[in-house]
Amino acid sequence: MTCRDACLSEAIRFSLARGGAVPRVEAEICTGCGDCASVCPVSAIALASPDTEEPSLA
C-alpha cells in the first residue's frame, strides 16, 4: 500500500477481496503527479495522458 501512502490527494483506495486487497484509482481526484508510480514495488502503475478529444456520435 505504499502507493496509497504516497498519494497526497488520497486518490488511491484499496478494497478487500479474497486473497488480499485490490487497488483502484479515483480518476476524478487524481492529479497525475506520479508520486505513486515511483514507489510502486511491482511497477504496476503507468501514467497516461487523458484523452481530450470528444467522442464522435456519428
Side-chain angles (χ1 to χ4, degrees):
M1 294 186 185
T2 56
C3 57
R4 180 200 62 193
D5 297 341
C7 183
L8 296 178
S9 63
E10 299 180 356
I12 300 175
R13 310 281 171 85
F14 279 82
S15 301
L16 294 179
R18 182 172 283 163
V22 177
R24 74 179 191 286
V25 175
E26 301 289 336
E28 61 277 354
I29 300 173
C30 178
T31 63
C33 69
D35 288 345
C36 58
S38 64
V39 298
C40 180
V42 294
S43 300
I45 301 171
L47 299 177
S49 297
D51 186 7
T52 57
E53 185 177 316
E54 291 293 321
S56 137
L57 297 177

Short mmCIF file of all heavy atoms in Angstrom, two decimals:
data_model
loop_
_atom_site.label_atom_id
_atom_site.label_comp_id
_atom_site.label_asym_id
_atom_site.label_seq_id
_atom_site.Cartn_x
_atom_site.Cartn_y
_atom_site.Cartn_z
N MET A 1 0.82 -1.19 0.00
CA MET A 1 0.00 0.00 0.00
C MET A 1 0.86 1.26 0.00
O MET A 1 0.40 2.33 0.38
CB MET A 1 -0.96 -0.03 1.17
CG MET A 1 -1.98 -1.12 1.06
SD MET A 1 -3.19 -1.01 2.38
CE MET A 1 -4.10 -2.48 2.05
N THR A 2 2.10 1.12 -0.43
CA THR A 2 2.99 2.27 -0.48
C THR A 2 2.49 3.32 -1.46
O THR A 2 2.69 4.51 -1.25
CB THR A 2 4.43 1.87 -0.85
OG1 THR A 2 4.41 1.16 -2.08
CG2 THR A 2 5.06 1.02 0.23
N CYS A 3 1.82 2.88 -2.53
CA CYS A 3 1.29 3.86 -3.49
C CYS A 3 0.21 4.72 -2.85
O CYS A 3 0.19 5.94 -3.03
CB CYS A 3 0.75 3.16 -4.73
SG CYS A 3 -0.53 1.93 -4.39
N ARG A 4 -0.65 4.11 -2.06
CA ARG A 4 -1.69 4.85 -1.36
C ARG A 4 -1.08 5.85 -0.37
O ARG A 4 -1.51 7.00 -0.29
CB ARG A 4 -2.61 3.90 -0.59
CG ARG A 4 -3.73 4.64 0.16
CD ARG A 4 -4.32 3.83 1.25
NE ARG A 4 -3.31 3.52 2.26
CZ ARG A 4 -3.47 2.64 3.20
NH1 ARG A 4 -4.59 1.96 3.29
NH2 ARG A 4 -2.52 2.40 4.08
N ASP A 5 -0.07 5.40 0.33
CA ASP A 5 0.57 6.26 1.31
C ASP A 5 1.30 7.45 0.65
O ASP A 5 1.40 8.51 1.25
CB ASP A 5 1.56 5.46 2.15
CG ASP A 5 0.86 4.37 2.97
OD1 ASP A 5 -0.37 4.47 3.17
OD2 ASP A 5 1.55 3.42 3.38
N ALA A 6 1.77 7.27 -0.57
CA ALA A 6 2.48 8.33 -1.28
C ALA A 6 1.53 9.34 -1.94
O ALA A 6 1.95 10.42 -2.33
CB ALA A 6 3.39 7.73 -2.35
N CYS A 7 0.26 9.00 -2.04
CA CYS A 7 -0.71 9.83 -2.75
C CYS A 7 -1.26 10.92 -1.83
O CYS A 7 -2.10 10.65 -0.97
CB CYS A 7 -1.85 8.98 -3.30
SG CYS A 7 -3.05 9.92 -4.25
N LEU A 8 -0.80 12.14 -2.03
CA LEU A 8 -1.24 13.25 -1.17
C LEU A 8 -2.70 13.62 -1.40
O LEU A 8 -3.36 14.15 -0.51
CB LEU A 8 -0.35 14.47 -1.39
CG LEU A 8 1.11 14.28 -0.99
CD1 LEU A 8 1.92 15.53 -1.30
CD2 LEU A 8 1.24 13.90 0.47
N SER A 9 -3.24 13.35 -2.59
CA SER A 9 -4.64 13.67 -2.87
C SER A 9 -5.58 12.55 -2.45
O SER A 9 -6.79 12.66 -2.61
CB SER A 9 -4.83 14.00 -4.35
OG SER A 9 -4.53 12.87 -5.15
N GLU A 10 -5.03 11.45 -1.94
CA GLU A 10 -5.81 10.29 -1.49
C GLU A 10 -6.68 9.71 -2.60
O GLU A 10 -7.82 9.29 -2.38
CB GLU A 10 -6.63 10.64 -0.26
CG GLU A 10 -5.78 11.06 0.92
CD GLU A 10 -6.57 11.41 2.16
OE1 GLU A 10 -7.82 11.39 2.12
OE2 GLU A 10 -5.94 11.69 3.19
N ALA A 11 -6.13 9.67 -3.82
CA ALA A 11 -6.87 9.15 -4.97
C ALA A 11 -6.79 7.63 -5.09
O ALA A 11 -7.54 7.04 -5.85
CB ALA A 11 -6.34 9.78 -6.26
N ILE A 12 -5.90 7.00 -4.34
CA ILE A 12 -5.76 5.54 -4.41
C ILE A 12 -6.44 4.93 -3.19
O ILE A 12 -6.16 5.28 -2.06
CB ILE A 12 -4.28 5.12 -4.47
CG1 ILE A 12 -3.64 5.73 -5.72
CG2 ILE A 12 -4.15 3.60 -4.46
CD1 ILE A 12 -2.16 5.49 -5.83
N ARG A 13 -7.36 4.02 -3.48
CA ARG A 13 -8.12 3.35 -2.41
C ARG A 13 -7.92 1.84 -2.58
O ARG A 13 -7.72 1.35 -3.69
CB ARG A 13 -9.61 3.66 -2.54
CG ARG A 13 -9.93 5.13 -2.68
CD ARG A 13 -9.89 5.86 -1.34
NE ARG A 13 -9.99 7.30 -1.46
CZ ARG A 13 -11.10 8.00 -1.55
NH1 ARG A 13 -12.25 7.40 -1.55
NH2 ARG A 13 -11.04 9.32 -1.63
N PHE A 14 -8.01 1.12 -1.51
CA PHE A 14 -7.92 -0.34 -1.54
C PHE A 14 -9.22 -0.93 -1.04
O PHE A 14 -9.77 -0.46 -0.04
CB PHE A 14 -6.76 -0.83 -0.68
CG PHE A 14 -5.42 -0.73 -1.36
CD1 PHE A 14 -4.74 0.47 -1.38
CD2 PHE A 14 -4.86 -1.82 -1.99
CE1 PHE A 14 -3.52 0.58 -2.02
CE2 PHE A 14 -3.64 -1.73 -2.63
CZ PHE A 14 -2.97 -0.52 -2.65
N SER A 15 -9.69 -1.95 -1.72
CA SER A 15 -10.88 -2.70 -1.31
C SER A 15 -10.44 -4.11 -0.94
O SER A 15 -9.59 -4.69 -1.62
CB SER A 15 -11.89 -2.78 -2.46
OG SER A 15 -12.28 -1.50 -2.86
N LEU A 16 -11.02 -4.64 0.11
CA LEU A 16 -10.71 -6.01 0.49
C LEU A 16 -11.33 -6.97 -0.50
O LEU A 16 -12.45 -6.79 -0.96
CB LEU A 16 -11.22 -6.30 1.89
CG LEU A 16 -10.54 -5.52 3.01
CD1 LEU A 16 -11.17 -5.89 4.35
CD2 LEU A 16 -9.06 -5.79 3.03
N ALA A 17 -10.57 -7.99 -0.85
CA ALA A 17 -11.03 -9.02 -1.77
C ALA A 17 -10.43 -10.35 -1.31
O ALA A 17 -9.48 -10.37 -0.53
CB ALA A 17 -10.58 -8.70 -3.19
N ARG A 18 -10.97 -11.42 -1.82
CA ARG A 18 -10.42 -12.73 -1.47
C ARG A 18 -8.96 -12.78 -1.91
O ARG A 18 -8.63 -12.48 -3.05
CB ARG A 18 -11.21 -13.82 -2.17
CG ARG A 18 -10.73 -15.21 -1.82
CD ARG A 18 -11.63 -16.26 -2.36
NE ARG A 18 -12.82 -16.30 -1.50
CZ ARG A 18 -13.96 -16.86 -1.83
NH1 ARG A 18 -14.10 -17.41 -3.00
NH2 ARG A 18 -14.98 -16.86 -1.00
N GLY A 19 -8.09 -13.10 -0.98
CA GLY A 19 -6.66 -13.19 -1.29
C GLY A 19 -5.89 -11.92 -1.04
O GLY A 19 -4.69 -11.87 -1.25
N GLY A 20 -6.55 -10.84 -0.62
CA GLY A 20 -5.81 -9.62 -0.34
C GLY A 20 -6.63 -8.37 -0.59
O GLY A 20 -7.84 -8.38 -0.51
N ALA A 21 -5.94 -7.32 -0.96
CA ALA A 21 -6.58 -6.04 -1.22
C ALA A 21 -6.38 -5.66 -2.69
O ALA A 21 -5.34 -5.95 -3.27
CB ALA A 21 -6.00 -4.96 -0.33
N VAL A 22 -7.38 -5.02 -3.26
CA VAL A 22 -7.34 -4.62 -4.66
C VAL A 22 -7.33 -3.09 -4.73
O VAL A 22 -8.23 -2.44 -4.21
CB VAL A 22 -8.57 -5.17 -5.42
CG1 VAL A 22 -8.58 -4.71 -6.85
CG2 VAL A 22 -8.62 -6.68 -5.33
N PRO A 23 -6.31 -2.52 -5.40
CA PRO A 23 -6.25 -1.06 -5.51
C PRO A 23 -7.14 -0.53 -6.61
O PRO A 23 -7.42 -1.21 -7.60
CB PRO A 23 -4.78 -0.80 -5.83
CG PRO A 23 -4.36 -2.01 -6.58
CD PRO A 23 -5.14 -3.15 -5.98
N ARG A 24 -7.59 0.71 -6.45
CA ARG A 24 -8.31 1.39 -7.51
C ARG A 24 -7.96 2.87 -7.42
O ARG A 24 -7.69 3.40 -6.34
CB ARG A 24 -9.81 1.16 -7.46
CG ARG A 24 -10.55 1.87 -6.38
CD ARG A 24 -12.06 1.58 -6.44
NE ARG A 24 -12.81 2.44 -5.57
CZ ARG A 24 -12.85 2.36 -4.27
NH1 ARG A 24 -12.18 1.41 -3.64
NH2 ARG A 24 -13.57 3.21 -3.57
N VAL A 25 -7.95 3.53 -8.56
CA VAL A 25 -7.62 4.95 -8.61
C VAL A 25 -8.91 5.73 -8.86
O VAL A 25 -9.65 5.42 -9.80
CB VAL A 25 -6.60 5.26 -9.73
CG1 VAL A 25 -6.37 6.75 -9.85
CG2 VAL A 25 -5.30 4.54 -9.46
N GLU A 26 -9.16 6.71 -8.03
CA GLU A 26 -10.30 7.61 -8.22
C GLU A 26 -9.84 8.68 -9.21
O GLU A 26 -9.15 9.63 -8.84
CB GLU A 26 -10.70 8.24 -6.89
CG GLU A 26 -11.10 7.25 -5.82
CD GLU A 26 -12.43 6.57 -6.11
OE1 GLU A 26 -13.26 7.15 -6.85
OE2 GLU A 26 -12.64 5.47 -5.60
N ALA A 27 -10.17 8.49 -10.49
CA ALA A 27 -9.66 9.35 -11.56
C ALA A 27 -10.03 10.82 -11.38
O ALA A 27 -9.24 11.70 -11.71
CB ALA A 27 -10.17 8.84 -12.91
N GLU A 28 -11.19 11.09 -10.81
CA GLU A 28 -11.61 12.47 -10.64
C GLU A 28 -10.83 13.19 -9.54
O GLU A 28 -10.80 14.41 -9.48
CB GLU A 28 -13.11 12.58 -10.38
CG GLU A 28 -13.60 11.87 -9.14
CD GLU A 28 -13.85 10.38 -9.32
OE1 GLU A 28 -13.77 9.86 -10.45
OE2 GLU A 28 -14.12 9.72 -8.30
N ILE A 29 -10.14 12.43 -8.69
CA ILE A 29 -9.34 13.00 -7.61
C ILE A 29 -7.85 13.05 -7.99
O ILE A 29 -7.12 13.93 -7.55
CB ILE A 29 -9.52 12.20 -6.31
CG1 ILE A 29 -10.98 12.20 -5.88
CG2 ILE A 29 -8.66 12.77 -5.20
CD1 ILE A 29 -11.27 11.28 -4.71
N CYS A 30 -7.42 12.13 -8.84
CA CYS A 30 -6.01 12.01 -9.20
C CYS A 30 -5.50 13.27 -9.89
O CYS A 30 -6.15 13.80 -10.79
CB CYS A 30 -5.82 10.81 -10.13
SG CYS A 30 -4.13 10.58 -10.69
N THR A 31 -4.34 13.74 -9.44
CA THR A 31 -3.74 14.94 -10.03
C THR A 31 -2.71 14.61 -11.10
O THR A 31 -2.24 15.50 -11.80
CB THR A 31 -3.05 15.79 -8.95
OG1 THR A 31 -1.97 15.04 -8.38
CG2 THR A 31 -4.03 16.23 -7.87
N GLY A 32 -2.34 13.34 -11.23
CA GLY A 32 -1.36 12.93 -12.23
C GLY A 32 0.07 13.25 -11.84
O GLY A 32 0.95 13.29 -12.69
N CYS A 33 0.32 13.45 -10.56
CA CYS A 33 1.66 13.85 -10.10
C CYS A 33 2.71 12.76 -10.28
O CYS A 33 3.88 13.04 -10.43
CB CYS A 33 1.61 14.31 -8.65
SG CYS A 33 1.27 12.99 -7.46
N GLY A 34 2.30 11.49 -10.23
CA GLY A 34 3.23 10.38 -10.41
C GLY A 34 3.93 9.91 -9.15
O GLY A 34 4.76 9.00 -9.21
N ASP A 35 3.62 10.49 -8.01
CA ASP A 35 4.27 10.07 -6.77
C ASP A 35 4.02 8.59 -6.48
O ASP A 35 4.88 7.91 -5.94
CB ASP A 35 3.80 10.92 -5.59
CG ASP A 35 4.35 12.33 -5.62
OD1 ASP A 35 5.30 12.59 -6.39
OD2 ASP A 35 3.82 13.17 -4.88
N CYS A 36 2.87 8.09 -6.85
CA CYS A 36 2.52 6.69 -6.60
C CYS A 36 3.34 5.74 -7.48
O CYS A 36 3.77 4.69 -7.03
CB CYS A 36 1.04 6.46 -6.84
SG CYS A 36 0.48 6.89 -8.51
N ALA A 37 3.58 6.13 -8.72
CA ALA A 37 4.30 5.28 -9.66
C ALA A 37 5.74 5.07 -9.23
O ALA A 37 6.29 3.97 -9.38
CB ALA A 37 4.24 5.87 -11.07
N SER A 38 6.34 6.09 -8.68
CA SER A 38 7.76 5.99 -8.31
C SER A 38 7.99 5.08 -7.11
O SER A 38 9.10 4.58 -6.94
CB SER A 38 8.33 7.38 -8.04
OG SER A 38 7.72 7.97 -6.93
N VAL A 39 6.98 4.82 -6.30
CA VAL A 39 7.16 3.97 -5.12
C VAL A 39 6.50 2.59 -5.25
O VAL A 39 6.65 1.77 -4.36
CB VAL A 39 6.63 4.66 -3.83
CG1 VAL A 39 7.40 5.93 -3.56
CG2 VAL A 39 5.14 4.91 -3.92
N CYS A 40 5.82 2.34 -6.34
CA CYS A 40 5.13 1.05 -6.51
C CYS A 40 6.15 -0.09 -6.55
O CYS A 40 7.03 -0.11 -7.42
CB CYS A 40 4.31 1.04 -7.79
SG CYS A 40 3.43 -0.52 -8.06
N PRO A 41 6.06 -1.04 -5.62
CA PRO A 41 7.07 -2.10 -5.55
C PRO A 41 7.01 -3.10 -6.71
O PRO A 41 7.96 -3.84 -6.92
CB PRO A 41 6.77 -2.78 -4.22
CG PRO A 41 5.34 -2.49 -3.95
CD PRO A 41 5.07 -1.15 -4.56
N VAL A 42 5.92 -3.12 -7.46
CA VAL A 42 5.81 -4.07 -8.58
C VAL A 42 5.64 -3.37 -9.92
O VAL A 42 5.29 -4.00 -10.92
CB VAL A 42 4.65 -5.07 -8.35
CG1 VAL A 42 4.95 -5.96 -7.15
CG2 VAL A 42 3.33 -4.36 -8.18
N SER A 43 5.89 -2.07 -9.97
CA SER A 43 5.79 -1.27 -11.21
C SER A 43 4.45 -1.47 -11.91
O SER A 43 4.39 -1.63 -13.13
CB SER A 43 6.95 -1.59 -12.15
OG SER A 43 8.18 -1.31 -11.53
N ALA A 44 3.38 -1.48 -11.14
CA ALA A 44 2.04 -1.72 -11.69
C ALA A 44 1.33 -0.45 -12.11
O ALA A 44 0.23 -0.51 -12.64
CB ALA A 44 1.20 -2.45 -10.66
N ILE A 45 1.96 0.71 -11.91
CA ILE A 45 1.30 1.98 -12.20
C ILE A 45 1.99 2.65 -13.38
O ILE A 45 3.21 2.79 -13.40
CB ILE A 45 1.34 2.92 -10.98
CG1 ILE A 45 0.63 2.25 -9.80
CG2 ILE A 45 0.71 4.26 -11.31
CD1 ILE A 45 0.80 2.98 -8.50
N ALA A 46 1.20 3.05 -14.35
CA ALA A 46 1.72 3.79 -15.50
C ALA A 46 0.85 5.03 -15.68
O ALA A 46 -0.37 4.97 -15.55
CB ALA A 46 1.67 2.94 -16.76
N LEU A 47 1.49 6.15 -15.94
CA LEU A 47 0.75 7.39 -16.16
C LEU A 47 0.46 7.54 -17.65
O LEU A 47 1.30 7.21 -18.48
CB LEU A 47 1.55 8.59 -15.67
CG LEU A 47 1.88 8.57 -14.18
CD1 LEU A 47 2.73 9.78 -13.83
CD2 LEU A 47 0.62 8.57 -13.35
N ALA A 48 -0.71 8.05 -17.96
CA ALA A 48 -1.10 8.27 -19.35
C ALA A 48 -1.81 9.60 -19.44
O ALA A 48 -2.48 10.03 -18.50
CB ALA A 48 -2.02 7.15 -19.82
N SER A 49 -1.68 10.24 -20.57
CA SER A 49 -2.39 11.50 -20.79
C SER A 49 -3.87 11.21 -21.00
O SER A 49 -4.22 10.24 -21.68
CB SER A 49 -1.85 12.20 -22.03
OG SER A 49 -0.51 12.53 -21.85
N PRO A 50 -4.73 12.03 -20.42
CA PRO A 50 -6.17 11.81 -20.64
C PRO A 50 -6.53 12.11 -22.09
O PRO A 50 -5.92 12.95 -22.73
CB PRO A 50 -6.83 12.80 -19.69
CG PRO A 50 -5.80 13.82 -19.40
CD PRO A 50 -4.46 13.16 -19.56
N ASP A 51 -7.52 11.40 -22.58
CA ASP A 51 -8.00 11.62 -23.94
C ASP A 51 -8.82 12.91 -23.94
O ASP A 51 -9.86 12.98 -23.31
CB ASP A 51 -8.85 10.44 -24.39
CG ASP A 51 -9.26 10.53 -25.84
OD1 ASP A 51 -8.78 11.44 -26.55
OD2 ASP A 51 -10.05 9.68 -26.28
N THR A 52 -8.33 13.92 -24.64
CA THR A 52 -9.00 15.21 -24.62
C THR A 52 -9.97 15.39 -25.78
O THR A 52 -10.73 16.33 -25.82
CB THR A 52 -7.98 16.37 -24.64
OG1 THR A 52 -7.16 16.22 -25.80
CG2 THR A 52 -7.13 16.35 -23.40
N GLU A 53 -9.95 14.49 -26.73
CA GLU A 53 -10.84 14.61 -27.88
C GLU A 53 -12.21 14.04 -27.52
O GLU A 53 -12.34 12.97 -26.96
CB GLU A 53 -10.25 13.82 -29.06
CG GLU A 53 -11.04 13.97 -30.33
CD GLU A 53 -10.37 13.24 -31.49
OE1 GLU A 53 -9.16 13.37 -31.61
OE2 GLU A 53 -11.10 12.57 -32.24
N GLU A 54 -13.25 14.81 -27.85
CA GLU A 54 -14.61 14.37 -27.59
C GLU A 54 -14.97 13.23 -28.54
O GLU A 54 -14.65 13.29 -29.72
CB GLU A 54 -15.61 15.52 -27.80
CG GLU A 54 -15.50 16.61 -26.75
CD GLU A 54 -15.92 16.13 -25.39
OE1 GLU A 54 -16.90 15.37 -25.29
OE2 GLU A 54 -15.26 16.50 -24.40
N PRO A 55 -15.63 12.19 -28.06
CA PRO A 55 -16.01 11.09 -28.95
C PRO A 55 -17.08 11.54 -29.94
O PRO A 55 -17.94 12.35 -29.63
CB PRO A 55 -16.56 10.02 -28.00
CG PRO A 55 -16.87 10.74 -26.74
CD PRO A 55 -16.01 11.97 -26.69
N SER A 56 -16.97 11.00 -31.10
CA SER A 56 -17.94 11.33 -32.15
C SER A 56 -19.20 10.48 -31.96
O SER A 56 -19.14 9.35 -31.57
CB SER A 56 -17.29 11.09 -33.49
OG SER A 56 -18.12 10.44 -34.37
N LEU A 57 -20.35 11.08 -32.23
CA LEU A 57 -21.62 10.35 -32.10
C LEU A 57 -22.11 9.83 -33.43
O LEU A 57 -23.20 9.31 -33.52
CB LEU A 57 -22.67 11.27 -31.48
CG LEU A 57 -22.36 11.75 -30.06
CD1 LEU A 57 -23.44 12.72 -29.59
CD2 LEU A 57 -22.24 10.61 -29.10
N ALA A 58 -21.34 9.98 -34.47
CA ALA A 58 -21.75 9.55 -35.82
C ALA A 58 -21.75 8.07 -35.99
O ALA A 58 -21.20 7.30 -35.34
CB ALA A 58 -20.84 10.18 -36.87
#
